[in-house]
Amino acid sequence: MSSYGKIIRKKDLSILQKTYIPEILKGLRITIRQMFRPTFTSQFPEERFKPDSSFRGRPVLVVENGVERCVACGLCARVCPALAIEVQAAETELEKERYPLKFEINMVRCIFCGFCEEVCPEEAIVMSDEYLLVFSSQEEALFGKEKLLKSTEDLKERLEFLRSHR
Amino acid sequence: MDLISILILLAKILIIMFGVLVLGAAMAVLAERRVSGFIQERLGPNRVGPCGILQPFADVAKLMMKEDIVPSKANRFIHDLAPIISISVALSTFAIIPFGNTIELFGRQIKLIIADVDIGILYLLALTSIGVYGVSLAGWSSNNKYSLLGGLRSSAQLISYELSMGLSLIGVIMICGTLRLDQIVLHQTEYFWGVIPKWNIFLQPLGFITFLIASFAETNRLPFDLPEAEPELVGGYHTEYTGMKFGLFFLAEYANVITSSAVTVTLFLGGWHLPFIEHLGLSPLVLSLLQILTFLTKVILLVLFFIIVRWTIPRFRYDQLMRIGWKVMLPIAIVNFLITGIVMLFLL
């Protein structure tokens, strides 16, 4: 790459270069060498890509000691730019006093911005590393509490990432 | 001509049709896609069948089921005719190519060539010139500016390169003293000083290079694919074609690549001749089969060369194409045929 950025005029070329043939052979050498290099393709359904902890997959509710952390404050529903989250609060005997009776994310609307995770005071809703979302109807895309709950062990990497980037 | 020789002729035609069209062109399409994948550090189609072998057949099935759209105000008859011309020219050129020496089967001497004609090379040049009609009629009948430009470019390009192609062949004809392709191959089975095979590539290196470049231009392959130049002309002459009519153009392109590889092998690379094989004393049948295999291997290697070149060099600009055709290729071809004449007159 010694000539990179220099203007090459036709009169500067040697006779051999003007015949194109050695230059074409050089190019052929490069393409043939390229053929035997390892490919970057990942064979999708068999080979799954494991995202980094900074990846924002579908949002999930964190479950700690068998109970979700969520106190149903409604901030996530408030901040959601796509209006995808719906929360209904109820009272409970536990220390946190409130829990979500209904927590529903419309996954057709969700834009994976991660605002809900950022705004949550309890670190109760985080973005997981799941990216395979397939629905065949609008109703199927409404993820209720049963689909959203995920234990802390499964979300360890993301929670650590969030703490180190606070 | 008795019944059995007619049957043998039909069998040869079927084998060539099947070999060139179904196995050859389809596999060339697949090879192009996979080789380009490897060059670009990806895999290419590998899902349909083992290593993607059935991919071209799946593509053809898809193309067959597509709707056939003819643009309004297009000339329907010519629009239908153009792909037929393209594919039939590509296939019929193969009729005069000897894909092996005489083979003895069931007590019969069978010549491994469909049409054993005296004017071999002239037939070849005549048919490749007809091939341009497929492209330019397709461009003209589509009622589309870009198609028309593609067709015009194609005819200009073919006229320019046909000349140097024909002139570069004169050297070969002068050396071999015949137009018959089987005789030309036989002429190449001799040796220089008993070591180097007397292939025409060693006798006519300039002629080989000009012929190879001209055949790149004849098959409309990169770096000379101006008739279809995607960035400028959308798709050139086949922009307005859909379904299997487009598929025919596509197959014809690859059939052309195979045909011109086979012609190059026959004229310059010794055809079915495998050097030094005759000294081993093999039985005639094994020898014939080995010769067919040699021919196939040579053709496949040359087709791969065509494919790799496509993914290596960029397209020429139109004025560069014309300048190379008229100001470089034509003089080289003439000089080559003058040198051949002088050498043959004074030195032999």
Side-chain angles (χ1 to χ4, degrees):
Chain A
M1 279 291 159
S2 56
S3 60
Y4 184 78
K6 215 168 70 184
I7 299 170
I8 301 169
R9 305 211 180 272
K10 199 156 188 188
K11 63 173 169 31
D12 299 334
L13 297 176
S14 64
I15 297 169
L16 264 182
Q17 279 173 323
K18 274 182 190 164
T19 60
Y20 295 113
I21 289 169
E23 304 298 305
I24 286 172
L25 290 179
K26 258 189 224 170
L28 283 174
R29 212 186 68 203
I30 291 170
T31 28
I32 290 171
R33 197 179 57 208
Q34 201 73 10
M35 266 173 76
F36 298 102
R37 295 177 74 176
T39 56
F40 286 101
T41 314
S42 88
Q43 297 285 317
F44 166 64
E46 296 93 33
E47 260 174 62
R48 296 284 162 86
F49 152 67
K50 175 83 179 87
D52 193 75
S53 58
S54 61
F55 184 81
R56 295 200 305 263
R58 77 175 175 98
V60 291
L61 287 175
V62 183
V63 176
E64 201 173 25
N65 305 326
V67 194
E68 73 279 329
R69 282 177 175 175
C70 180
V71 292
C73 62
L75 275 175
C76 48
R78 184 82 184 149
V79 80
C80 182
L83 305 176
I85 304 176
E86 192 189 335
V87 191
Q88 264 176 31
E91 289 194 7
T92 165
E93 296 301 311
L94 292 170
E95 200 192 338
K96 63 175 183 176
E97 290 181 0
R98 278 156 61 88
Y99 79 104
L101 185 68
K102 179 187 177 190
F103 197 107
E104 201 172 77
I105 303 183
N106 188 341
M107 289 312 294
V108 174
R109 292 190 144 197
C110 179
I111 56 168
F112 304 91
C113 59
F115 283 8
C116 46
E117 176 188 50
E118 260 178 62
V119 82
C120 185
E122 300 289 326
E123 208 176 58
I125 180 165
V126 296
M127 310 302 276
S128 66
D129 59 0
E130 288 171 32
Y131 53 88
L132 292 171
L133 293 163
V134 183
F135 333 106
S136 49
S137 67
Q138 296 268 335
E139 288 73 36
E140 225 177 280
L142 295 175
F143 280 25
K145 245 166 85 173
E146 72 287 354
K147 277 190 182 167
L148 291 174
L149 294 176
K150 215 173 178 191
S151 67
T152 36
E153 289 91 72
D154 296 343
L155 297 164
K156 229 167 122 189
E157 279 173 36
R158 180 67 179 178
L159 291 171
E160 269 166 27
F161 168 80
L162 288 174
R163 271 173 211 147
S164 61
H165 287 77
R166 193 148 290 228
Chain B
M1 208 182 217
D2 59 303
L3 188 70
I4 295 171
S5 41
I6 291 174
L7 281 178
I8 288 170
L9 190 66
L10 277 176
K12 282 194 281 195
I13 292 171
L14 276 178
I15 288 169
I16 286 291
M17 283 278 283
F18 187 77
V20 175
L21 195 67
V22 180
L23 296 178
M27 288 303 123
V29 173
L30 181 70
E32 169 111 279
R33 294 177 65 183
R34 298 231 44 180
V35 168
S36 66
F38 288 131
I39 288 170
Q40 295 164 352
E41 301 192 359
R42 53 188 179 85
L43 286 173
N46 63 345
R47 289 278 154 171
V48 193
C51 297
I53 279 181
L54 299 176
Q55 179 70 43
F57 303 106
D59 288 343
V60 166
K62 183 201 78 178
L63 285 171
M64 294 257 193
M65 281 186 270
K66 289 221 164 188
E67 188 191 352
D68 176 31
I69 300 167
V70 179
S72 63
K73 291 186 188 164
N75 188 325
R76 177 139 207 165
F77 175 68
I78 297 176
H79 197 260
D80 289 346
L81 187 69
I84 299 174
I85 295 177
S86 271
I87 192 88
S88 52
V89 165
L91 282 177
S92 48
T93 316
F94 226 97
I96 52 151
I97 289 166
F99 49 96
N101 203 357
T102 333
I103 190 170
E104 206 182 307
L105 275 181
F106 314 114
R108 251 172 195 280
Q109 295 282 329
I110 300 169
K111 268 194 143 180
L112 291 180
I113 181 169
I114 292 178
D116 192 12
V117 286
D118 286 336
I119 53 159
I121 291 178
L122 287 181
Y123 172 87
L124 189 108
L125 290 174
L127 270 184
T128 43
S129 325
I130 294 177
V132 68
Y133 280 99
V135 176
S136 49
L137 285 181
W140 178 70
S141 67
S142 290
N143 189 28
N144 175 327
K145 294 180 193 71
Y146 296 113
S147 299
L148 181 61
L149 277 174
L152 285 177
R153 278 180 177 193
S154 170
S155 19
Q157 179 179 320
L158 268 114
I159 290 166
S160 329
Y161 282 85
E162 194 92 320
L163 264 177
S164 37
M165 191 182 212
L167 281 174
S168 64
L169 286 182
I170 289 183
V172 173
I173 299 169
M174 280 161 81
I175 287 174
C176 300
T178 174
L179 289 171
R180 294 174 74 103
L181 288 171
D182 53 337
Q183 295 294 326
I184 289 173
V185 175
L186 278 177
H187 190 267
Q188 294 179 78
T189 55
E190 291 160 28
Y191 297 91
F192 291 121
W193 311 292
V195 196
I196 308 165
K198 209 174 185 176
W199 293 357
N200 282 331
I201 182 175
F202 302 121
L203 288 165
Q204 291 276 320
L206 264 178
F208 174 70
I209 290 170
T210 34
F211 183 79
L212 195 66
I213 294 170
S215 55
F216 271 93
E218 292 276 323
T219 47
N220 294 333
R221 295 278 298 180
L222 262 160
F224 303 105
D225 73 334
L226 286 134
E228 40 189 314
E230 290 95 346
E232 311 149 31
L233 297 181
V234 196
Y237 60 91
H238 56 54
T239 307
E240 298 293 351
Y241 279 86
T242 50
M244 202 52 214
K245 281 204 283 186
F246 167 74
L248 280 182
F249 274 124
F250 205 68
L251 281 179
E253 183 187 330
Y254 287 93
N256 265 323
V257 169
I258 293 167
T259 310
S260 46
S261 303
V263 170
T264 316
V265 166
T266 310
L267 293 176
F268 288 99
L269 300 174
W272 39 258
H273 178 227
L274 184 62
F276 313 117
I277 190 78
E278 57 270 17
H279 300 317
L280 291 176
L282 296 165
S283 74
L285 189 67
V286 177
L287 195 67
S288 307
L289 290 176
L290 264 178
Q291 282 167 343
I292 296 173
L293 212 65
T294 313
F295 179 75
L296 278 179
T297 319
K298 282 176 184 173
V299 172
I300 288 167
L301 285 177
L302 210 59
V303 169
L304 280 178
F305 176 72
F306 266 78
I307 289 169
I308 294 171
V309 165
R310 171 166 177 192
W311 299 97
T312 302
I313 25 187
R315 179 181 303 127
F316 279 112
R317 219 168 48 212
Y318 192 66
D319 60 320
Q320 290 172 332
L321 175 97
M322 282 297 147
R323 194 186 305 136
I324 292 169
W326 290 103
K327 289 191 179 170
V328 182
M329 299 272 290
L330 192 62
I332 287 179
I334 292 173
V335 165
N336 177 53
F337 119 72
L338 275 176
I339 291 173
T340 314
I342 291 167
V343 168
M344 287 186 73
L345 189 63
F346 294 111
L347 299 181
L348 295 180

